[in-house]
Short mmCIF file of all heavy atoms in Angstrom, two decimals:
data_model
loop_
_atom_site.label_atom_id
_atom_site.label_comp_id
_atom_site.label_asym_id
_atom_site.label_seq_id
_atom_site.Cartn_x
_atom_site.Cartn_y
_atom_site.Cartn_z
N LEU A 261 -5.32 0.26 1.73
CA LEU A 261 -4.42 0.06 0.58
C LEU A 261 -5.04 0.70 -0.60
O LEU A 261 -6.25 0.70 -0.82
CB LEU A 261 -4.30 -1.43 0.28
CG LEU A 261 -3.40 -1.88 -0.82
CD1 LEU A 261 -2.64 -3.12 -0.43
CD2 LEU A 261 -4.16 -2.12 -2.03
N ILE A 262 -4.13 1.40 -1.32
CA ILE A 262 -4.52 2.04 -2.65
C ILE A 262 -3.48 1.71 -3.74
O ILE A 262 -2.39 1.74 -3.45
CB ILE A 262 -4.76 3.48 -2.38
CG1 ILE A 262 -5.70 4.10 -3.49
CG2 ILE A 262 -3.45 4.27 -2.52
CD1 ILE A 262 -7.16 3.87 -3.18
N GLU A 263 -3.99 1.43 -4.91
CA GLU A 263 -3.07 1.23 -6.04
C GLU A 263 -3.32 2.39 -6.99
O GLU A 263 -4.23 2.54 -7.56
CB GLU A 263 -3.49 -0.05 -6.80
CG GLU A 263 -3.21 -1.32 -5.97
CD GLU A 263 -1.70 -1.69 -5.82
OE1 GLU A 263 -0.82 -0.92 -6.38
OE2 GLU A 263 -1.43 -2.70 -5.13
N THR A 264 -2.30 3.29 -7.10
CA THR A 264 -2.28 4.45 -7.94
C THR A 264 -1.88 4.07 -9.41
O THR A 264 -2.23 4.78 -10.30
CB THR A 264 -1.46 5.61 -7.42
OG1 THR A 264 -0.14 5.19 -7.55
CG2 THR A 264 -1.83 5.89 -5.99
N HIS A 265 -1.12 3.06 -9.56
CA HIS A 265 -0.53 2.62 -10.87
C HIS A 265 0.22 3.81 -11.49
O HIS A 265 0.19 3.90 -12.73
CB HIS A 265 -1.64 2.18 -11.70
CG HIS A 265 -2.36 0.86 -11.21
ND1 HIS A 265 -1.80 -0.32 -11.21
CD2 HIS A 265 -3.58 0.76 -10.69
CE1 HIS A 265 -2.52 -1.26 -10.69
NE2 HIS A 265 -3.68 -0.60 -10.35
N GLY A 266 0.81 4.71 -10.66
CA GLY A 266 1.51 5.83 -11.16
C GLY A 266 0.65 6.89 -11.78
O GLY A 266 1.27 7.85 -12.44
N ARG A 267 -0.57 6.91 -11.60
CA ARG A 267 -1.49 7.94 -12.19
C ARG A 267 -1.44 9.21 -11.30
O ARG A 267 -1.86 9.17 -10.15
CB ARG A 267 -2.92 7.35 -12.27
CG ARG A 267 -3.03 6.12 -13.22
CD ARG A 267 -4.25 5.43 -13.14
NE ARG A 267 -4.19 4.14 -13.87
CZ ARG A 267 -5.00 3.06 -13.70
NH1 ARG A 267 -5.95 3.19 -12.75
NH2 ARG A 267 -4.85 1.97 -14.27
N LYS A 268 -1.05 10.24 -11.94
CA LYS A 268 -0.82 11.44 -11.14
C LYS A 268 -2.14 12.06 -10.46
O LYS A 268 -2.09 12.44 -9.31
CB LYS A 268 -0.18 12.61 -12.01
CG LYS A 268 1.22 12.28 -12.46
CD LYS A 268 1.85 13.29 -13.37
CE LYS A 268 3.20 12.93 -13.78
NZ LYS A 268 3.81 13.93 -14.76
N ASP A 269 -3.14 11.97 -11.18
CA ASP A 269 -4.49 12.46 -10.58
C ASP A 269 -4.87 11.68 -9.36
O ASP A 269 -5.28 12.25 -8.40
CB ASP A 269 -5.58 12.34 -11.67
CG ASP A 269 -5.50 13.33 -12.83
OD1 ASP A 269 -4.63 14.31 -12.76
OD2 ASP A 269 -6.17 13.15 -13.85
N THR A 270 -4.65 10.40 -9.42
CA THR A 270 -4.96 9.49 -8.22
C THR A 270 -4.03 9.87 -7.06
O THR A 270 -4.45 10.00 -5.98
CB THR A 270 -4.89 8.09 -8.57
OG1 THR A 270 -5.71 7.75 -9.73
CG2 THR A 270 -5.32 7.12 -7.52
N GLU A 271 -2.80 9.99 -7.36
CA GLU A 271 -1.72 10.33 -6.38
C GLU A 271 -1.98 11.63 -5.64
O GLU A 271 -1.79 11.75 -4.53
CB GLU A 271 -0.30 10.27 -6.95
CG GLU A 271 0.09 8.87 -7.32
CD GLU A 271 1.46 8.84 -8.07
OE1 GLU A 271 1.96 9.90 -8.45
OE2 GLU A 271 1.98 7.73 -8.31
N GLU A 272 -2.48 12.50 -6.45
CA GLU A 272 -2.75 13.92 -5.87
C GLU A 272 -3.87 13.83 -4.85
O GLU A 272 -3.91 14.58 -3.83
CB GLU A 272 -3.17 14.85 -7.08
CG GLU A 272 -3.40 16.31 -6.61
CD GLU A 272 -2.14 16.94 -6.26
OE1 GLU A 272 -0.93 16.55 -6.65
OE2 GLU A 272 -2.20 17.95 -5.43
N GLN A 273 -4.81 12.96 -5.02
CA GLN A 273 -6.00 12.77 -4.13
C GLN A 273 -5.67 12.23 -2.79
O GLN A 273 -6.29 12.56 -1.85
CB GLN A 273 -7.06 11.98 -4.81
CG GLN A 273 -7.86 12.74 -5.83
CD GLN A 273 -8.99 11.84 -6.45
OE1 GLN A 273 -8.75 10.73 -6.79
NE2 GLN A 273 -10.20 12.38 -6.21
N ILE A 274 -4.64 11.41 -2.66
CA ILE A 274 -4.47 10.61 -1.53
C ILE A 274 -3.53 11.27 -0.47
O ILE A 274 -3.32 10.83 0.66
CB ILE A 274 -3.88 9.18 -1.79
CG1 ILE A 274 -2.52 9.32 -2.49
CG2 ILE A 274 -4.85 8.34 -2.51
CD1 ILE A 274 -1.84 7.99 -2.68
N LYS A 275 -2.90 12.37 -0.86
CA LYS A 275 -1.93 12.94 -0.03
C LYS A 275 -2.30 13.55 1.33
O LYS A 275 -1.69 13.59 2.37
CB LYS A 275 -1.10 14.04 -0.77
CG LYS A 275 -1.95 15.24 -1.17
CD LYS A 275 -1.06 16.24 -2.00
CE LYS A 275 -1.99 17.49 -2.34
NZ LYS A 275 -1.11 18.46 -3.10
N ASP A 276 -3.75 13.83 1.36
CA ASP A 276 -4.26 14.40 2.60
C ASP A 276 -4.96 13.35 3.35
O ASP A 276 -5.59 13.72 4.44
CB ASP A 276 -5.18 15.61 2.24
CG ASP A 276 -4.47 16.81 1.61
OD1 ASP A 276 -3.31 16.94 2.04
OD2 ASP A 276 -5.05 17.48 0.71
N LEU A 277 -4.94 12.21 3.06
CA LEU A 277 -5.69 11.05 3.74
C LEU A 277 -4.73 10.27 4.61
O LEU A 277 -3.58 10.01 4.29
CB LEU A 277 -6.39 10.17 2.82
CG LEU A 277 -7.70 10.78 2.19
CD1 LEU A 277 -8.12 9.93 1.04
CD2 LEU A 277 -8.87 10.99 3.10
N GLU A 278 -5.16 9.85 5.76
CA GLU A 278 -4.37 9.02 6.66
C GLU A 278 -4.16 7.58 6.15
O GLU A 278 -5.29 7.03 5.63
CB GLU A 278 -4.97 8.94 8.07
CG GLU A 278 -4.23 8.21 9.11
CD GLU A 278 -4.98 7.98 10.34
OE1 GLU A 278 -5.96 8.70 10.71
OE2 GLU A 278 -4.72 6.99 11.04
N PHE A 279 -3.03 6.93 6.33
CA PHE A 279 -2.83 5.56 5.91
C PHE A 279 -2.58 4.74 7.12
O PHE A 279 -1.94 5.13 8.01
CB PHE A 279 -1.54 5.46 5.00
CG PHE A 279 -1.65 5.85 3.57
CD1 PHE A 279 -1.76 7.19 3.21
CD2 PHE A 279 -1.85 4.93 2.62
CE1 PHE A 279 -1.95 7.54 1.88
CE2 PHE A 279 -1.95 5.20 1.30
CZ PHE A 279 -2.04 6.55 0.91
N VAL A 280 -3.19 3.51 7.05
CA VAL A 280 -2.76 2.54 8.01
C VAL A 280 -1.63 1.76 7.34
O VAL A 280 -1.78 1.20 6.25
CB VAL A 280 -3.92 1.46 8.27
CG1 VAL A 280 -3.49 0.38 9.14
CG2 VAL A 280 -5.05 2.23 8.91
N PRO A 281 -0.54 1.67 8.03
CA PRO A 281 0.66 0.95 7.44
C PRO A 281 0.39 -0.42 6.96
O PRO A 281 -0.35 -1.09 7.57
CB PRO A 281 1.73 1.00 8.57
CG PRO A 281 1.27 2.11 9.49
CD PRO A 281 -0.13 2.18 9.40
N LEU A 282 0.88 -0.79 5.82
CA LEU A 282 0.74 -2.17 5.33
C LEU A 282 1.50 -3.12 6.11
O LEU A 282 2.43 -2.88 6.86
CB LEU A 282 1.21 -2.19 3.84
CG LEU A 282 0.34 -1.32 2.77
CD1 LEU A 282 1.00 -1.39 1.36
CD2 LEU A 282 -1.10 -1.82 2.74
N LEU A 283 1.10 -4.31 5.97
CA LEU A 283 1.78 -5.45 6.67
C LEU A 283 2.87 -6.08 5.80
O LEU A 283 2.61 -6.62 4.74
CB LEU A 283 0.80 -6.50 7.03
CG LEU A 283 1.28 -7.82 7.81
CD1 LEU A 283 1.76 -7.42 9.20
CD2 LEU A 283 0.25 -8.93 7.89
N PRO A 284 4.23 -6.05 6.26
CA PRO A 284 5.21 -6.67 5.42
C PRO A 284 5.29 -8.18 5.67
O PRO A 284 5.15 -8.61 6.80
CB PRO A 284 6.51 -5.97 5.98
CG PRO A 284 6.16 -5.60 7.39
CD PRO A 284 4.71 -5.20 7.39
N ILE A 285 5.39 -8.94 4.65
CA ILE A 285 5.42 -10.38 4.70
C ILE A 285 6.64 -10.88 3.85
O ILE A 285 6.76 -10.44 2.68
CB ILE A 285 4.16 -11.00 4.12
CG1 ILE A 285 2.92 -10.67 5.12
CG2 ILE A 285 4.28 -12.55 4.18
CD1 ILE A 285 1.65 -11.13 4.63
N SER A 286 7.50 -11.63 4.49
CA SER A 286 8.65 -12.10 3.68
C SER A 286 8.36 -13.44 3.02
O SER A 286 7.71 -14.24 3.65
CB SER A 286 9.93 -12.32 4.66
OG SER A 286 10.23 -11.11 5.27
N TYR A 287 8.69 -13.53 1.75
CA TYR A 287 8.46 -14.76 1.00
C TYR A 287 9.54 -14.92 -0.07
O TYR A 287 9.70 -14.01 -0.97
CB TYR A 287 7.12 -14.69 0.30
CG TYR A 287 6.77 -15.97 -0.48
CD1 TYR A 287 6.40 -17.08 0.09
CD2 TYR A 287 6.64 -15.80 -1.95
CE1 TYR A 287 6.13 -18.27 -0.63
CE2 TYR A 287 6.26 -16.95 -2.62
CZ TYR A 287 6.08 -18.13 -2.03
OH TYR A 287 5.80 -19.22 -2.80
N LYS A 288 10.31 -16.08 -0.08
CA LYS A 288 11.36 -16.26 -0.98
C LYS A 288 12.33 -15.17 -1.08
O LYS A 288 12.60 -14.64 -2.15
CB LYS A 288 10.76 -16.68 -2.34
CG LYS A 288 9.95 -17.89 -2.42
CD LYS A 288 9.51 -18.25 -3.92
CE LYS A 288 8.78 -19.65 -3.88
NZ LYS A 288 8.39 -20.03 -5.18
N ASP A 289 12.82 -14.76 0.11
CA ASP A 289 13.86 -13.64 0.17
C ASP A 289 13.38 -12.42 -0.30
O ASP A 289 14.23 -11.49 -0.62
CB ASP A 289 15.15 -14.13 -0.50
CG ASP A 289 15.68 -15.45 -0.01
OD1 ASP A 289 15.66 -15.61 1.29
OD2 ASP A 289 16.21 -16.26 -0.71
N ARG A 290 12.12 -12.12 -0.45
CA ARG A 290 11.62 -10.82 -0.81
C ARG A 290 10.61 -10.40 0.20
O ARG A 290 9.93 -11.19 0.87
CB ARG A 290 10.97 -10.87 -2.25
CG ARG A 290 11.99 -11.07 -3.40
CD ARG A 290 11.26 -11.12 -4.75
NE ARG A 290 10.51 -9.88 -4.90
CZ ARG A 290 9.61 -9.74 -5.94
NH1 ARG A 290 9.39 -10.75 -6.77
NH2 ARG A 290 8.99 -8.56 -6.15
N THR A 291 10.34 -9.09 0.20
CA THR A 291 9.35 -8.57 1.22
C THR A 291 8.17 -8.07 0.30
O THR A 291 8.35 -7.19 -0.65
CB THR A 291 9.92 -7.38 2.01
OG1 THR A 291 11.03 -8.02 2.75
CG2 THR A 291 8.82 -6.85 2.98
N PHE A 292 6.97 -8.52 0.71
CA PHE A 292 5.69 -8.10 0.02
C PHE A 292 4.94 -7.41 1.07
O PHE A 292 5.07 -7.55 2.30
CB PHE A 292 4.96 -9.35 -0.50
CG PHE A 292 5.68 -10.06 -1.60
CD1 PHE A 292 6.64 -11.04 -1.31
CD2 PHE A 292 5.47 -9.70 -2.89
CE1 PHE A 292 7.33 -11.64 -2.25
CE2 PHE A 292 6.21 -10.35 -3.87
CZ PHE A 292 7.02 -11.51 -3.55
N TYR A 293 3.97 -6.51 0.62
CA TYR A 293 3.13 -5.67 1.54
C TYR A 293 1.66 -5.91 1.26
O TYR A 293 1.18 -5.87 0.09
CB TYR A 293 3.48 -4.21 1.40
CG TYR A 293 4.89 -3.89 1.82
CD1 TYR A 293 5.92 -4.02 0.94
CD2 TYR A 293 5.15 -3.69 3.16
CE1 TYR A 293 7.23 -3.67 1.27
CE2 TYR A 293 6.44 -3.31 3.52
CZ TYR A 293 7.47 -3.33 2.60
OH TYR A 293 8.74 -3.14 2.99
N GLU A 294 0.96 -6.37 2.32
CA GLU A 294 -0.46 -6.63 2.14
C GLU A 294 -1.25 -5.83 3.12
O GLU A 294 -0.75 -5.10 4.02
CB GLU A 294 -0.78 -8.13 2.42
CG GLU A 294 -0.03 -9.19 1.57
CD GLU A 294 -0.60 -9.08 0.09
OE1 GLU A 294 -1.55 -8.35 -0.17
OE2 GLU A 294 -0.13 -9.90 -0.76
N VAL A 295 -2.70 -5.83 2.94
CA VAL A 295 -3.54 -5.12 3.91
C VAL A 295 -3.28 -5.62 5.35
O VAL A 295 -3.26 -6.83 5.69
CB VAL A 295 -5.01 -5.41 3.62
CG1 VAL A 295 -5.93 -4.84 4.60
CG2 VAL A 295 -5.31 -4.75 2.17
N ASN A 296 -3.10 -4.61 6.25
CA ASN A 296 -2.87 -4.96 7.63
C ASN A 296 -4.09 -5.00 8.49
O ASN A 296 -4.60 -4.03 8.97
CB ASN A 296 -1.93 -3.95 8.28
CG ASN A 296 -1.26 -4.44 9.56
OD1 ASN A 296 -1.88 -5.20 10.31
ND2 ASN A 296 -0.08 -3.88 9.83
N VAL A 297 -4.85 -6.22 8.38
CA VAL A 297 -6.20 -6.32 8.93
C VAL A 297 -6.17 -6.09 10.45
O VAL A 297 -7.04 -5.30 10.97
CB VAL A 297 -6.68 -7.74 8.69
CG1 VAL A 297 -8.04 -7.98 9.38
CG2 VAL A 297 -6.86 -7.99 7.09
N LYS A 298 -5.19 -6.56 11.18
CA LYS A 298 -5.16 -6.41 12.59
C LYS A 298 -4.97 -4.95 12.90
O LYS A 298 -5.73 -4.33 13.78
CB LYS A 298 -3.98 -7.17 13.18
CG LYS A 298 -3.83 -7.14 14.69
CD LYS A 298 -2.65 -7.92 15.24
CE LYS A 298 -2.56 -7.79 16.74
NZ LYS A 298 -1.34 -8.48 17.28
N ALA A 299 -4.07 -4.22 12.30
CA ALA A 299 -3.85 -2.76 12.53
C ALA A 299 -5.09 -1.92 12.31
O ALA A 299 -5.42 -0.95 12.97
CB ALA A 299 -2.66 -2.21 11.75
N ILE A 300 -5.81 -2.35 11.21
CA ILE A 300 -7.10 -1.64 10.76
C ILE A 300 -8.05 -1.70 11.89
O ILE A 300 -8.77 -0.78 12.20
CB ILE A 300 -7.49 -2.07 9.43
CG1 ILE A 300 -6.65 -1.71 8.29
CG2 ILE A 300 -8.98 -1.61 9.23
CD1 ILE A 300 -6.85 -2.24 6.95
#
């Protein structure tokens, strides 16, 4: 998981790195995404 906060320099660095997909969790009719411990 990485939080770029919209910072272009940070976003530029992550494009060549592999991501483990986040874990979607439904709560109060909305979907949130957290660290996917099992997948990692």
Side-chain angles (χ1 to χ4, degrees):
L261 182 141
I262 204 78
E263 293 286 0
T264 66
H265 299 288
R267 296 165 194 160
K268 292 180 180 178
D269 290 345
T270 306
E271 289 173 350
E272 186 65 24
Q273 285 184 301
I274 63 175
K275 62 182 182 181
D276 295 327
L277 289 167
E278 178 189 339
F279 278 78
V280 173
L282 295 173
L283 178 67
I285 298 175
S286 296
Y287 179 68
K288 292 186 176 179
D289 299 323
R290 289 180 60 192
T291 300
F292 297 85
Y293 295 89
E294 300 288 2
V295 171
N296 196 332
V297 176
K298 183 181 178 184
I300 290 168

